[in-house]
Amino acid sequence: MLIAQMFEGLSAFGPEGGKLVQGVALRWEQSSDNRVFRFHLRPEARWSDGARVTAHDFVYAWKRVLDPAFASPAAEHLFILRNGEAFHRGDTDAAALGVRALDDLTLEVELERPTPYFIQLTAMPVTFPVRRDVVESFERQGRPEQWARPGNIVVNGPYTLDTWRFRYEITMKRNPYYWDHDALRVHRIVWMAIEDRHTAMNLYKTGELDWTGDNGSLPVDYLGLLEKKRDFRRSPVLTTYWYDLNTRKAPLDDERVRHALDLAVDKRTLAHTVARGGIPATHFVPESIGGGYADIVTEEQAAGIDPFALPRDGFDPERARALFREAGYEVVTDESGEVRTSGFPSLELLFEGSLDSRQFAVAVQDMWRRHLGIMVELRSEEWRVMLQDLRAGRFQIARSGWAADYDHPHTFLSTFLARSPTNTTGWSDPEFEALVERAAATADAHQSIRLYRRAEERAVRGACRIPFYFHTRPTLTKPWVEGLSPSGMGIHLIRWLSAEGNGAPLPPARPFPPPGKIGGELP
């Protein structure tokens, strides 16, 4: 969030739902196989010291992210570049990387394979440009981290770093050389570091805050009251809460058992009363995600053909018990109305030690007991220990989920691939793998998303995870803050906002023209 205010990529998140608009790039062309992209940079783009932003700045920054000596935790996002992973491993040199400056204002990118979410990545911090002379100057002084401090940092975005009081506040002011400087309605920003939810709410109440932000939360015990206020907002974010099922261990190696566990939980109740504001989920990809996915969801719902639209959000205890019987377990209801299943072993549910996760696990445990008559033991672990157990397969059922790395369904569906380190379930499906591969290689965005939807249907049918709800984020915003719209990625650029409250026109966004075509692919 903070980095995106100070730096600008080839594209930027726009004011309407985070849709991409022009950043440093004015337009681009791409090859018919979706592997080569040529970006044309705006000549008026400047760094905060007045120097011109060039294609060479992007080349340096991307190579720096992939340099094994830099050890960036975000390096894998650029493995999509030709030889990106090989360079990161040290198997080739930087000259072989698929990013090059054809001249100061033309950047050419070659991908290892077709990557439908590549354009979305051009608005993310991992692809922001960095000034080589500034970074290396501090490296030579033996102070490599000091380049990002106030007075040292050189940025190319709307705002520059003014002051930084560690764990208290960060202030920003307008970048005098930003190409759209005159359109910025907010001249100064104060970001307050507040860990306690109640403190944030009280500061908002006293007028110290105009907006509680989109990277925190509000006190759960006050949500019922706050939801009635006119300055309360709740918007969907690109995060799904699910449980992983270890398909390598009985009885979870039986698909019927996995489906029964899914059908026996009342997701509507869980989302509304336990998660306090989630959207019940019968599948894995949030319906507001970009890349054309949200548009197809709208089309299918209007036509009544949404494959994931289920009665009661998929809650069907009778069908769940029938699946248990098909799997060979005797399920009976005694005279008191209590469900009992004989021959079914006790299961273990693993979760990290937060209060929210425990409350959710207890609610699910109770539903499985009431609707299926099975016993589930709860096990809580510290987060790092839990990750080790997940990777080693030392679990049966585990609390999990995914937050989007970029605004495209691939970020969710790729976690189901057999080769993905985030797929701890042991599930694999050749048809699913083939659909994802075809979707990624399809240049037509509409056709590509159709294939992703089919792949998601396969993932739902495989039932290696139980989706519970899509996250939402509550926030408080003063009435004089104008221009704030929902952003699934949780990135709101202050450049689109005003705190004047006078209804004056907001800064305009500049959409990209349709991409042109590169005549021939590179070898």
Side-chain angles (χ1 to χ4, degrees):
M1 178 66 171
L2 298 182
I3 295 175
Q5 313 301 332
M6 298 187 292
F7 288 87
E8 185 170 74
L10 296 167
S11 66
F13 290 104
E16 297 181 6
K19 292 183 178 179
L20 296 189
V21 297
Q22 292 178 19
V24 177
L26 293 165
R27 58 187 173 87
W28 83 86
E29 296 104 28
Q30 64 190 69
S31 61
S32 59
D33 66 353
N34 254 21
R35 289 184 58 242
V36 182
F37 294 77
R38 192 172 293 151
F39 295 92
H40 300 273
L41 279 51
R42 60 177 68 252
E44 70 272 29
R46 293 290 186 276
W47 291 96
S48 53
D49 63 356
R52 190 186 223 184
V53 179
T54 72
H56 303 282
D57 297 320
F58 285 90
V59 173
Y60 168 72
W62 294 15
K63 289 181 178 180
R64 181 170 177 262
V65 169
L66 284 168
D67 189 339
F70 184 52
S72 168
E76 66 179 78
H77 291 307
L78 294 187
F79 287 177
I80 60 173
L81 297 180
R82 185 177 185 184
N83 293 317
E85 187 172 6
F87 172 64
H88 185 70
R89 289 196 311 260
D91 295 339
T92 189
D93 58 27
L97 270 179
V99 57
R100 58 189 70 87
L102 300 186
D103 55 45
D104 281 354
L105 296 178
T106 309
L107 180 74
E108 189 164 80
V109 180
E110 186 177 4
L111 306 181
E112 190 73 36
R113 62 185 63 84
T115 306
Y117 57 87
F118 168 63
I119 294 299
Q120 277 73 22
L121 277 185
T122 64
M124 299 298 291
V126 69
T127 61
F128 289 170
V130 174
R131 274 276 293 279
R132 180 173 189 167
D133 60 319
V134 175
V135 173
E136 292 185 350
S137 171
F138 285 94
E139 288 178 345
R140 286 192 297 270
Q141 297 173 38
R143 302 185 297 153
E145 297 178 357
Q146 291 297 310
W147 77 271
R149 300 297 183 184
N152 300 335
I153 191 169
V154 177
V155 303
N156 76 314
Y159 297 93
T160 187
L161 185 61
D162 191 18
T163 65
W164 181 0
R165 299 170 67 184
F166 188 62
R167 290 188 176 178
Y168 179 66
E169 72 174 25
I170 289 175
T171 64
M172 296 179 186
K173 59 185 179 181
R174 289 190 299 175
N175 174 0
Y177 290 98
Y178 181 59
W179 62 270
D180 206 19
H181 169 273
D182 293 343
L184 300 176
R185 298 281 296 279
V186 175
H187 292 192
R188 183 173 182 267
I189 313 169
V190 179
W191 305 90
M192 300 189 72
I194 306 169
E195 295 183 4
D196 182 75
R197 299 175 181 181
H198 291 84
T199 301
M201 185 182 68
N202 290 333
L203 287 171
Y204 178 85
K205 186 177 179 180
T206 59
E208 294 295 314
L209 294 178
D210 296 312
W211 175 38
T212 57
D214 55 11
N215 61 344
S217 188
L218 299 172
V220 174
D221 46 334
Y222 280 89
L223 282 178
L225 175 66
L226 294 173
E227 286 172 344
K228 302 172 185 177
K229 304 294 184 181
R230 66 172 184 168
D231 46 0
F232 177 88
R233 301 185 184 197
R234 184 184 291 279
S235 56
V237 292
L238 302 181
T239 303
T240 309
Y241 190 105
W242 63 56
Y243 278 177
D244 279 359
L245 306 179
N246 192 338
T247 65
R248 293 162 294 207
K249 293 186 176 182
L252 300 177
D253 57 347
D254 190 323
E255 192 174 292
R256 295 167 297 188
V257 170
R258 303 198 298 270
H259 275 293
L261 293 174
D262 191 336
L263 292 166
V265 289
D266 184 349
K267 298 175 182 179
R268 192 173 302 174
T269 296
L270 289 169
H272 294 166
T273 64
V274 184
R276 298 299 298 269
I279 301 170
T282 58
H283 57 117
F284 303 103
V285 179
E287 296 181 351
S288 59
I289 203 166
Y293 186 94
D295 297 332
I296 284 185
V297 169
T298 301
E299 289 176 17
E300 291 181 347
Q301 291 178 345
I305 57 172
D306 185 350
F308 307 122
L310 302 176
R312 303 171 72 190
D313 295 310
F315 179 45
D316 191 345
E318 290 188 12
R319 177 58 182 155
R321 291 190 286 271
L323 285 172
F324 258 35
R325 293 187 184 101
E326 288 179 22
Y329 301 102
E330 183 180 356
V331 185
V332 297
T333 304
D334 63 20
E335 295 179 356
S336 65
E338 187 170 342
V339 177
R340 299 183 183 277
T341 297
S342 60
F344 193 88
S346 175
L347 295 175
E348 183 181 74
L349 170 54
L350 174 64
F351 59 95
E352 91 286 358
S354 71
L355 178 60
D356 290 345
S357 292
R358 175 171 288 280
Q359 290 176 339
F360 199 90
V362 168
V364 172
Q365 177 193 45
D366 181 62
M367 290 178 180
W368 283 337
R369 179 190 61 78
R370 287 188 288 114
H371 301 309
L372 291 175
I374 63 175
M375 298 299 296
V376 178
E377 297 177 3
L378 304 184
R379 177 161 63 101
S380 170
E381 290 183 340
E382 189 269 333
W383 180 246
R384 290 184 180 180
V385 177
M386 179 178 166
L387 286 180
Q388 293 172 359
D389 283 343
L390 285 175
R391 290 165 182 160
R394 294 189 293 266
F395 74 97
Q396 285 184 298
I397 305 172
R399 174 261 191 269
S400 190
W402 194 254
D405 289 322
Y406 40 84
D407 193 14
H408 192 279
H410 190 91
T411 185
F412 286 90
L413 296 178
S414 64
T415 70
F416 289 81
L417 295 171
R419 67 177 182 272
S420 171
T422 55
N423 181 2
T424 62
T425 69
W427 179 79
S428 64
D429 177 68
E431 185 173 339
F432 170 84
E433 306 263 339
L435 283 167
V436 170
E437 185 175 348
R438 283 177 56 198
T442 300
D444 183 272
H446 193 79
Q447 293 178 18
S448 174
I449 293 297
R450 290 284 184 200
L451 290 168
Y452 276 115
R453 287 281 276 182
R454 285 175 56 191
E456 188 176 10
E457 289 184 60
R458 291 293 302 178
V460 169
R461 199 170 301 140
C464 67
R465 289 167 172 156
I466 299 176
F468 288 106
Y469 65 90
F470 303 124
H471 282 244
T472 62
R473 182 169 290 132
T475 189
L476 296 171
T477 310
K478 295 295 186 183
W480 52 78
V481 176
E482 299 174 312
L484 194 64
S485 67
S487 168
M489 290 296 296
I491 299 178
H492 290 91
L493 298 185
I494 304 301
R495 64 173 290 197
W496 307 121
L497 306 186
S498 168
E500 299 168 9
N502 56 11
L506 294 170
R510 295 169 174 79
F512 279 110
K517 293 293 183 183
I518 294 177
E521 292 74 43
L522 298 183

